[in-house]
Amino acid sequence: MPSSSNTSKTKSGYEVRRLHLEPTPQLDALAQAAGELYTRTVISFWRTVRKHGQWLKPSAMMRWHTSDQLHAHSADAVVQGFYAALKSWRKRRKTDPHAKPPYRRRRYSRVQWKSSAIRVRYGSLVLSNGRGNAPLVVPWSWGVPVLVELGWTGTGYELRCAYRDMDPVPELVGDETAGVDLGEIHLAVAHDGQRTTIFNGRELRAKRQYQNKIKAALAAKQSRLKKGSRRWRKLQRSKRKQLQKLDHQVRDILHKQTTALVSTLHASGVQTVVIGDVRDLRGRVDYGPAANQRIHQMVTGQVRWMVTYKAGRFGMRVVLQDEAYTSQECPRCGHRHKPRGRVYACPACGFRFHRDGVGAINIRRKYLGSGPVVGAMASPTGVRWQPHQHARVAR
Ligand SMILES: [Zn+2]
């Protein structure tokens, strides 16, 4: 499991995200396969020099030595790694007569994945390996890197993921428009004209309730102590630590769910993402105490921001649409009423649909300025957040 991540910019114009990974049998096997391939390359190269006085070209070497365990391009990268070391030795040799050529064998070596072997699916980075070998899957809440490298830091593995500063805009597969309703009960509900997808917010609410519980419990303990005393400060530190951890978990959920949302939309050919504008909360449901409302606004703001920049990476456009009455209006006849229960049932025309999907349908409809929806629509699909897992598609 990745335990930390940070990004840095390199001189070459790449942004690199670093992720620490604890050793696993799979990581060890990959690093070993790369080391074994590197060693075969070293041996073959110098043997050919010795026996035939010939320097084999990288292309010939790549044809000669391959690996079953590694992706074909990852195997090529190992061979290329040897030639890079060779080149740097020839350069150093000009100024340093003691420079040593790359003779050493390696038990382990770094593994690289090129873009052909890199995918991001439902909150996971999926790195393909040789045919018949399981891919390396890492929980992931960022965009698709152009190059990934697995290295050893001395204490553990490190996954280095490079992004080009100027990411090329990925090709769009369609010109659909989707409405997105950001909410409290659900993080987001998306509707693309046919399909409705619900991104659950239950885990998020649970975390938030736990957050309030910690605050209340520690505040009660602290109230019995002298402010600023040693015990008091100790509790203060513990409170901050626990709340920080929860903050990270909340952000993790938001990242995974918004990544799942954006890739779902992209996969169904969406070009324009219409987000309901909730900045004006008047006329909307009562969220209870002011504090809850503030948190709700903060989360939807965060979600909107994440969706906006992630959609941008896919080349999608994000627009805001005033969402007044979108949860109350009947998508078929325009009649307004406050729905009760899980099903929106229009008393005027009899239209029935899962209540949570109505807002997204209407947001899309309002933006397109299109008339009432006609025909039957598929009932919504739910995407639940799972810790350390792909976002699972469930009813
Ligand atoms: Zn109706």
Side-chain angles (χ1 to χ4, degrees):
M1 281 308 105
S3 56
S4 68
S5 147
N6 58 66
T7 62
S8 58
K9 273 194 177 125
T10 64
K11 268 182 258 168
S12 53
Y14 280 91
E15 198 183 333
V16 179
R17 182 178 296 284
R18 289 162 196 280
L19 217 69
H20 183 76
L21 299 176
E22 292 302 325
T24 64
Q26 188 190 22
L27 295 176
D28 291 343
L30 286 166
Q32 236 166 49
E36 190 257 340
L37 175 58
Y38 182 89
T39 300
R40 274 191 279 140
T41 306
V42 171
I43 293 171
S44 304
F45 180 84
W46 293 113
R47 188 176 290 158
T48 317
V49 171
R50 219 169 43 241
K51 289 197 171 161
H52 309 284
Q54 221 179 28
W55 283 44
L56 269 183
K57 280 191 192 144
S59 56
M61 192 66 89
M62 285 188 278
R63 272 199 303 278
W64 187 1
H65 293 300
T66 55
S67 167
D68 288 339
Q69 279 153 286
L70 302 174
H71 187 277
H73 293 164
S74 303
D76 288 352
V78 172
V79 175
Q80 285 156 357
F82 166 77
Y83 280 92
L86 195 68
K87 194 174 164 189
S88 107
W89 161 66
R90 295 179 70 188
K91 202 171 156 195
R92 264 183 296 123
R93 192 169 58 162
K94 288 175 189 156
T95 51
D96 175 12
H98 302 292
K100 283 212 178 85
Y103 276 136
R104 278 194 38 200
R105 301 171 180 207
R106 287 185 189 164
R107 218 166 117 66
Y108 299 96
S109 189
R110 61 178 185 177
V111 184
Q112 283 191 352
W113 286 268
K114 307 209 171 159
S115 53
S116 54
I118 304 169
R119 277 178 306 149
V120 170
R121 286 285 137 82
Y122 297 121
S124 291
L125 177 70
V126 182
L127 304 167
S128 304
N129 296 313
R131 197 163 297 168
N133 290 274
L136 176 59
V137 180
V138 180
W140 198 250
S141 38
W142 305 283
V144 188
V146 290
L147 185 73
V148 177
E149 188 181 279
L150 177 71
W152 180 256
T153 60
T155 53
Y157 288 102
E158 187 181 58
L159 207 59
R160 298 180 274 262
C161 305
Y163 293 90
R164 227 188 298 277
D165 267 353
M166 300 282 288
D167 268 343
V169 176
E171 199 126 347
L172 282 166
V173 284
D175 58 356
E176 304 290 337
T177 298
V180 175
D181 187 19
L182 304 181
E184 166 81 340
I185 307 296
H186 296 300
L187 211 57
V189 181
H191 176 77
D192 66 2
Q194 286 167 349
R195 273 159 306 223
T196 309
T197 316
I198 296 175
F199 296 84
N200 204 303
R202 197 180 301 141
E203 291 80 2
L204 202 66
R205 277 205 312 287
K207 298 275 183 221
R208 201 178 298 151
Q209 277 156 10
Y210 186 47
Q211 217 161 13
N212 291 335
K213 222 167 123 183
I214 288 175
K215 274 188 204 162
L218 288 170
K221 272 190 194 166
Q222 276 183 322
S223 70
R224 283 180 240 122
L225 297 166
K226 198 171 156 230
K227 193 177 171 180
S229 69
R230 240 183 61 180
R231 276 283 294 155
W232 187 92
R233 276 185 285 134
K234 204 178 156 196
L235 280 171
Q236 189 72 5
R237 269 199 304 276
S238 148
K239 184 165 85 180
R240 196 180 312 136
K241 215 169 151 185
Q242 290 185 61
L243 291 178
Q244 218 166 41
K245 195 176 156 198
L246 277 167
D247 266 355
H248 282 163
Q249 291 171 340
V250 165
R251 206 177 321 148
D252 187 52
I253 296 174
L254 292 181
H255 265 303
K256 283 187 179 133
Q257 286 287 52
T258 51
T259 296
L261 167 65
V262 170
S263 22
T264 302
L265 295 178
H266 182 255
S268 49
V270 170
Q271 185 177 45
T272 309
V273 183
V274 187
I275 300 184
D277 195 353
V278 281
R279 278 177 299 188
D280 181 13
L281 279 171
R282 277 171 305 172
R284 280 184 57 86
V285 259
D286 183 15
Y287 285 106
N292 277 358
Q293 226 175 80
R294 214 171 39 241
I295 293 164
H296 170 64
Q297 277 173 310
M298 197 191 74
V299 168
T300 49
Q302 242 172 340
V303 170
R304 185 171 36 191
W305 177 75
M306 285 179 184
V307 170
T308 303
Y309 85 77
K310 288 176 185 180
R313 281 193 181 153
F314 278 105
M316 292 187 266
R317 190 165 72 101
V318 174
V319 292
L320 293 178
Q321 169 68 48
D322 169 31
E323 67 163 19
Y325 304 113
T326 46
S327 61
Q328 298 175 20
E329 226 162 68
C330 169
R332 188 187 288 160
C333 74
H335 175 85
R336 270 179 208 166
H337 90 288
K338 282 197 179 171
R340 283 167 182 279
R342 286 171 63 80
V343 175
Y344 180 100
C346 176
C349 75
F351 172 87
R352 284 172 74 84
F353 198 70
H354 194 301
R355 172 187 175 161
D356 303 315
V358 170
I361 296 173
N362 279 327
I363 287 165
R364 175 178 184 273
R365 199 168 60 92
K366 271 196 164 184
Y367 170 77
L368 292 174
S370 57
V373 292
V374 284
M377 275 177 299
S379 31
T381 308
V383 177
R384 266 176 36 196
W385 173 82
Q386 298 271 311
H388 320 301
Q389 260 294 346
H390 304 243
R392 196 166 65 180
V393 176
R395 263 272 180 254

